[in-house]
Amino acid sequence: MVIYGVYIVSKSGGLIFNHDHNVPKIEVEKPFNYPLDIKLAYENKKIVVSFGQRDGINVGHVLSAVNGQPVTGRELEDGKDVLDMLENPENFPITLKFCRSKMTTNEKIFLASMFYPLFAIASQLSPEPRCSGIEVLEADTFRLYCYQTLTGVKFMIVAEPSQPGMEILTKKVYELYADYALKNPFYSLEMPIRCELFETHLQSLLEAVEKSGISNV
């Protein structure tokens, strides 16, 4: 059982803390013939799969190597343009290696800002008054658990669907936040959390839950 990450969003919708705990490294290397049956595009200084999928290669995956040579931007180590190579039938068959794209800090900030209005919409759509908003968001490969405090700060945990006790864990993370961030005289509300004690105790808490379960914490 795996916990993927922890996110804290301020009451105004800004990402003030994120911790990548155990993000799986997905890599797929396959030989290809001409023409490619997937479409590649150069976006955000990396070559990504923009259309089509096969053998574990999905849209959004990043091209990391060609014939064993690492790709930087859109070039190989010898300076050759990768996209130009892939348009030339003489370079085939060719072996391409793809990996899961790692989210940048800016992308995480953007996603946090997107979750904020979704949370508010869920509260307004509820047929019952005083709805707490999104508490669990479930997909086929993960679940996102959200706990909103009375002050509007949201604590989110992304974990495997089979990982139990995550609702309790969100409250445990809130307790650490109250003990090590809010009681820090150098921390200002709504600002990014940069507290070594908070991060150390959070890491220990996540590891303990993964090994022995939430009931033993």
Side-chain angles (χ1 to χ4, degrees):
M1 293 182 286
V2 178
I3 299 171
Y4 296 126
V6 176
Y7 303 87
I8 302 177
V9 179
S10 68
K11 64 180 180 181
S12 59
L15 182 67
I16 58 176
F17 180 82
N18 73 91
H19 172 74
D20 292 328
H21 179 63
N22 198 356
V23 179
K25 187 177 183 179
I26 300 174
E27 292 185 336
V28 181
E29 190 169 17
K30 297 286 183 181
F32 288 82
N33 293 315
Y34 186 86
L36 289 178
D37 52 1
I38 57 175
K39 184 177 180 181
L40 303 178
Y42 184 64
E43 301 174 357
N44 299 321
K45 299 182 179 180
K46 53 193 175 185
I47 299 175
V48 301
V49 180
S50 61
F51 181 80
Q53 59 183 29
R54 55 165 288 190
D55 303 326
I57 301 171
N58 299 320
V59 172
H61 282 191
V62 177
L63 180 62
S64 60
V66 176
N67 291 332
Q69 294 188 54
V71 176
T72 303
R74 58 181 290 165
E75 294 183 348
L76 298 177
E77 290 179 330
D78 56 9
K80 291 182 180 179
D81 188 282
V82 174
L83 295 181
D84 290 343
M85 284 183 61
L86 298 177
E87 292 179 356
N88 187 350
E90 296 180 357
N91 294 321
F92 288 78
I94 196 169
T95 301
L96 304 180
K97 185 177 183 179
F98 294 87
C99 65
R100 177 178 175 174
S101 178
K102 185 177 181 180
M103 281 198 300
T104 65
T105 301
N106 287 338
E107 288 171 335
K108 291 177 181 178
I109 292 173
F110 174 75
L111 291 175
S113 65
M114 290 293 292
F115 183 81
Y116 180 79
L118 290 176
F119 189 94
I121 291 172
S123 300
Q124 295 173 5
L125 288 175
S126 172
E128 297 292 332
R130 298 181 181 178
C131 173
S132 60
I134 297 174
E135 294 183 352
V136 181
L137 191 155
E138 184 173 354
D140 57 342
T141 56
F142 74 94
R143 282 182 184 173
L144 184 150
Y145 300 84
C146 179
Y147 170 65
Q148 178 174 252
T149 66
L150 294 176
T151 58
V153 179
K154 298 174 183 62
F155 293 81
M156 296 184 293
I157 293 176
V158 179
E160 277 189 338
S162 58
Q163 180 75 47
M166 293 299 97
E167 295 89 348
I168 300 174
L169 181 59
T170 55
K171 296 178 176 63
K172 293 283 187 180
V173 175
Y174 171 52
E175 292 175 6
L176 293 180
Y177 166 78
D179 287 339
Y180 297 104
L182 293 184
K183 294 179 182 179
N184 185 340
F186 300 102
Y187 175 67
S188 300
L189 291 175
E190 298 287 301
M191 296 301 292
I193 300 171
R194 295 185 177 91
C195 177
E196 185 176 347
L197 279 176
F198 173 69
E199 294 187 29
T200 301
H201 283 80
L202 175 63
Q203 178 71 26
S204 299
L205 174 63
L206 298 180
E207 291 176 354
V209 171
E210 284 184 328
K211 291 179 181 178
S212 57
I214 192 66
S215 60
N216 296 318
V217 176

